[in-house]
Amino acid sequence: MFKQEIVVSTRNINHYFGKKSLRSQILFDINLVIKSGEIVIMSGPSGSGKTTLLTLIGGLRSVQEGNLKFLDWELHGASNEKLVQIRRQIGYIFQAHNLLDFLTARQNVQMSLELQKNLSYRQARLKSEAMLHAVKLGHRVNYYPTHLSGGQKQRVAIARALVSQPKLVLADEPTAALDSKSGREVVEIMQLLAKEQQCAILMVTHDNRVLDIADKIIHIEDGRIIKEELF
């Protein structure tokens, strides 16, 4: 049995957009905890603050008020250099898979390992190919994105996010552009690999068909957590 560690914890997070008379509050007193191996889904209407919270947790936006810890790092007041370090420990999967069309599937995945100085080129290549096999794309290793389906591209994006074995993966609407079968395959692969690697996943989705993979569902409305469901 794995001992679950706390990967993310937030305390009284508030966030604002705009300045002076145009300033409006987007997030209100957000308190949540995410542990290793957990799949947490954030649901709620468009404009409720889900993506803003996701980008704060991912170090893509500066914390304005409250405390936000990723592992042992406090993000409130963190320097740009520290935020870059933190971002290297996190995998990102977006609705737009953001693959580079001039690189093969394997090269796109291998990019995530470029910053790991302890890996040789050969080790990085083998690790990337193994990850593509894990997402059932072993037969597409040398294919360019233009020759892959939407579901296959999203699986390459998952492989890229998970190949460096991050402690946290943030996924923003990963199934939005996929049909139901491809969407289901994508989240089941994420679920399997998260459990294997004891990686936490925080996913924003409107897709009610994938809610059953969650360990916890956080419902957000008007910038507030209105309900947490545990499974």
Side-chain angles (χ1 to χ4, degrees):
M1 205 44 200
F2 289 103
K3 182 180 182 298
Q4 284 188 302
E5 63 177 329
I6 292 176
V7 178
V8 173
S9 65
T10 76
R11 194 167 78 246
N12 301 332
I13 288 287
N14 296 304
H15 199 77
Y16 308 84
F17 286 158
K19 292 182 178 175
K20 296 185 178 174
S21 62
L22 296 175
R23 193 176 194 233
S24 63
Q25 191 163 353
I26 304 299
L27 295 175
F28 299 79
D29 289 324
I30 299 293
N31 294 284
L32 67 91
V33 171
I34 302 171
K35 296 180 179 177
S36 55
E38 256 187 347
I39 297 179
V40 179
I41 285 180
M42 271 200 289
S43 74
S46 294
S48 58
K50 303 183 302 297
T51 296
T52 301
L53 181 55
L54 198 78
T55 53
L56 282 168
I57 290 170
L60 300 170
R61 204 186 286 276
S62 294
V63 177
Q64 296 172 345
E65 287 181 9
N67 296 98
L68 200 168
K69 285 191 84 170
F70 169 66
L71 301 175
D72 294 326
W73 291 302
E74 172 60 56
L75 273 70
H76 190 178
S79 66
N80 283 334
E81 291 78 9
K82 178 57 74 178
L83 289 175
V84 168
Q85 273 186 292
I86 289 166
R87 288 197 289 266
R88 287 176 183 167
Q89 312 289 318
I90 298 172
Y92 302 90
I93 304 168
F94 299 104
Q95 179 180 338
H97 39 75
N98 297 333
L99 301 182
L100 296 174
D101 284 337
F102 58 88
L103 297 179
T104 63
R106 192 258 307 157
Q107 290 168 331
N108 268 286
V109 174
Q110 197 168 327
M111 277 182 64
S112 284
L113 300 172
E114 298 291 317
L115 297 167
Q116 294 194 10
K117 304 287 186 249
N118 57 334
L119 278 183
S120 69
Y121 175 84
R122 184 173 181 277
Q123 288 171 316
R125 183 184 179 118
L126 290 173
K127 202 170 179 184
S128 302
E129 289 178 359
M131 199 71 214
L132 284 166
H133 278 278
V135 298
K136 300 178 182 165
L137 282 180
H139 60 306
R140 294 283 190 270
V141 166
N142 295 314
Y143 279 58
Y144 289 92
T146 47
H147 296 125
L148 299 174
S149 69
Q152 289 170 337
K153 288 176 188 173
Q154 201 59 302
R155 282 191 261 161
V156 175
I158 291 170
R160 182 181 57 190
L162 284 161
V163 70
S164 55
Q165 296 192 295
K167 293 290 187 180
L168 174 67
V169 167
L170 300 176
D172 195 359
E173 298 284 3
T175 64
L178 304 178
D179 60 51
S180 57
K181 182 173 181 290
S182 299
R184 186 79 215 169
E185 286 174 357
V186 157
V187 294
E188 284 178 352
I189 286 167
M190 288 169 67
Q191 182 183 35
L192 177 68
L193 295 174
K195 299 302 180 192
E196 282 180 2
Q197 295 189 9
Q198 276 301 287
C199 159
I201 290 182
L202 176 61
M203 184 192 308
V204 168
T205 187
H206 286 102
D207 190 347
N208 292 329
R209 300 166 304 187
V210 303
L211 297 182
D212 60 306
I213 70 155
D215 298 301
K216 180 160 62 181
I217 297 179
I218 297 166
H219 298 274
I220 296 185
E221 279 186 29
D222 299 323
R224 292 179 169 85
I225 294 178
I226 58 164
K227 185 169 66 170
E228 264 192 43
E229 293 180 274
L230 299 174
F231 299 95

